[in-house]
Amino acid sequence: QVTLKESGPGILQPSQTLSLTCSFSGFSLSTSGICVSWIRQPSGKGLEWLATICWEDSKGYNPSLKNRLTISKDTSNNQAFLKITSVDTADTAIYYCARREVYGTPEVMDAWGQGASVTVSS
Amino acid sequence: DIQMTQSPASLSASLGETVTIECRASEDIYSNLAWYQQKPGNSPQLLIYDANSLADGVPSRFSGSGSGTQYSLKINSLQSEDVASYFCQQYNNYLMYTFGAGTKLELK
């Protein structure tokens, strides 16, 4: 069974760095074709893809946020991470991680975590 | 970047009605298109992938179609449990994704 769970600080202040962890089970980020992505959703709004990291350590970033994002992984501990620098209130959102199996069926984000709520406030 | 234009933003329909939601890509995405359903307080759930393939466990009243830049999600015989928000997503490149803005479906 594939599961993912996001964790983060809950609340942080403007200008700080947001650090998020995605802990998962049922798959490995060292397996060919596996990628983990971060997606966020402000309250009442749509989904915004942020970043992706894959088995061979390739990475992709949303161009509108690229300068502030860093994605990484720890394959030994089945975790993926996202850092967002210089946060402001616009970064307040639910943050999700999701798995994609590029060579599988379906080869889309078919497993999502429950989401971690992040509030940026002074 | 590939942009996804989803319409309508909101939709009100009656039980038993057929509803259609559309997504247009800014360039050809070769049917690399998924549809997700999201109910309040829950994570998105996969409905359709590869533009027209039904995900496991999804009722057959849901269907997807389209190619190139134009795609649609159809819900036949609307049920109360279908009240949700729906999002399209392009995945033409495994390191770059875009979601549509979403459609909020309500009962009339």
Side-chain angles (χ1 to χ4, degrees):
Chain A
Q1 182 187 4
V2 172
T3 65
L4 304 95
K5 186 172 184 179
E6 307 85 351
S7 58
I11 299 174
L12 69 167
Q13 295 185 336
S15 80
Q16 291 186 319
T17 294
L18 170 60
S19 294
L20 295 163
T21 299
C22 175
S23 301
F24 52 84
S25 63
F27 67 94
S28 172
L29 248 179
S30 61
T31 299
S32 181
I34 297 295
C35 301
V36 170
S37 297
W38 286 95
I39 302 102
R40 71 180 180 183
Q41 184 174 37
S43 181
K45 297 190 177 181
L47 300 165
E48 179 180 34
W49 169 75
L50 298 175
T52 295
I53 190 164
C54 295
W55 76 101
E56 81 289 41
D57 210 36
S58 61
K59 300 165 187 173
Y61 293 101
N62 185 319
S64 66
L65 294 161
K66 184 175 182 177
N67 291 340
R68 298 173 53 212
L69 302 177
T70 303
I71 193 169
S72 59
K73 61 183 170 76
D74 179 348
T75 53
S76 299
N77 290 304
N78 287 338
Q79 292 180 316
F81 310 98
L82 182 70
K83 289 187 187 297
I84 305 179
T85 60
S86 304
V87 298
D88 68 13
T89 54
D91 296 307
T92 295
I94 302 291
Y95 285 77
Y96 297 101
C97 58
R99 178 200 78 157
R100 179 184 178 184
E101 195 173 356
V102 177
Y103 303 137
T105 301
E107 79 284 18
V108 297
M109 295 179 192
D110 63 342
W112 294 60
Q114 65 191 20
S117 177
V118 173
T119 300
V120 179
S121 175
S122 56
Chain B
D1 311 356
I2 298 175
Q3 308 302 316
M4 301 299 295
T5 303
Q6 184 173 342
S7 62
S10 63
L11 185 53
S12 182
S14 302
L15 292 174
E17 195 173 329
T18 295
V19 300
T20 300
I21 299 168
E22 299 189 337
C23 258
R24 186 181 77 249
S26 59
E27 62 185 76
D28 194 330
I29 56 171
Y30 304 98
S31 296
N32 291 308
L33 191 283
W35 291 97
Y36 293 89
Q37 178 192 66
Q38 186 181 33
K39 297 183 179 180
N42 290 344
S43 308
Q45 298 293 311
L46 179 66
L47 293 176
I48 300 285
Y49 63 96
D50 292 349
N52 59 16
S53 295
L54 204 63
D56 286 348
V58 175
S60 59
R61 63 180 179 274
F62 290 91
S63 63
S65 63
S67 63
T69 62
Q70 299 276 3
Y71 300 88
S72 62
L73 171 72
K74 185 161 72 171
I75 310 173
N76 287 316
S77 189
L78 187 69
Q79 304 295 302
S80 58
E81 59 264 33
D82 301 335
V83 170
S85 292
Y86 294 84
F87 297 90
C88 63
Q89 180 208 41
Q90 69 80 18
Y91 51 94
N92 195 46
N93 179 326
Y94 73 91
L95 292 176
M96 189 76 66
Y97 301 87
T98 321
F99 290 92
T103 296
K104 187 173 183 179
L105 176 57
E106 299 175 326
L107 281 179
K108 190 181 293 182

